[in-house]
Amino acid sequence: MLWFHVVFLSVIQGITEFLPISSSAHLILPSELLSWPDQGLLFDVAVHVGTLLAVSLYFRQDIKRLLFAWFTSLISSNSSKDSKLAWWVIVASVPAVLAGFFFNDFIEANFRSINVIAYTTIGFGILLWCADAFSSKKKQEYDLTLSNVILIGIAQAVALIPGTSRSGITMTAARALGFNREASARFSFLLSIPLILAAGLYKFVESFSLDVHVEWGGLASGVLLSFMSAYACIHFFLKWLNEIGFVPFLFYRLLLGVILLSISYLNI
């Protein structure tokens, strides 16, 4: 990979991991459209580490509070709203982890195409806008119930299909269930931590089977750049979300989807 490949892909991963526009789609597209070399598993691990560090640092106080409450509930059997929220993060992560374990290879072989990305980009973008425009806006993340969590977890599992957007579909599900924008985004970001960790560990273990030259400078740059861009993205997204809503992301997804379909059909 050339240096501008590293910079571009790292920044794109950091930004799109948490915006509702699909990070996997944006990491696939450069190699599909620009004939860039595939970045490889190790680079994917590096940028996942960067985004994991960013979301963990940004929500460090929440994570400390939730973990303390969770461990306290295990020891004393006393439940609190924080321990319950911690359990909800765990429960909601299960469907995606199971789906990734059983269906990842099938999805990689059959759904990593421009057409699939185009249709999921458009379809789930419209679904996000509908959920945001027509839902109630009152519930907070502490109002989550087991049925809410299971539905959001199933939605997150669907995001294994490229172009869906993990953050986008979890926020869509939360908005459709009546949670306000900030609560939907915060729970989606907390929910990303175990999933990014699981995906990063899986890719790291898988990379041991590869006999490749490791470019440590490129990997370190990937971690740093994805960390910086992801941290900034989380901060400004949460700051501006109530003001801008999801309409700009709908327009972006529609435009990107139309461009991808045009490119696909012109290449036929």
Side-chain angles (χ1 to χ4, degrees), residues 8-9 12 25-37 39:
F8 181 84
L9 292 175
I12 286 296
H26 287 77
L27 289 178
I28 291 170
L29 292 178
S31 60
E32 291 284 341
L33 300 181
L34 304 175
S35 299
W36 285 11
Q39 62 268 20

Side-chain angles (χ1 to χ4, degrees), residues 201-213:
L201 288 173
Y202 176 81
K203 289 179 180 292
F204 180 72
V205 172
E206 191 177 2
S207 68
F208 277 110
S209 64
L210 303 177
D211 184 18
V212 295
H213 171 68

Side-chain angles (χ1 to χ4, degrees), residues 13 17 23-24 27 40-52 93-94 96-101 104 108 112 156 159-160 166 191-208:
Q13 164 66 21
E17 179 66 42
S23 62
S24 60
L27 289 178
L41 275 174
L42 286 175
F43 187 80
D44 282 351
V45 172
V47 294
H48 274 80
V49 168
T51 53
L52 178 63
S93 302
V94 172
V97 172
L98 292 176
F101 182 80
N104 184 69
E108 289 282 327
R112 289 175 67 93
Q156 182 171 236
L160 289 170
R166 189 211 61 81
L191 198 53
S192 72
I193 296 173
L195 197 65
I196 295 174
L197 180 61
L201 288 173
Y202 176 81
K203 289 179 180 292
F204 180 72
V205 172
E206 191 177 2
S207 68
F208 277 110

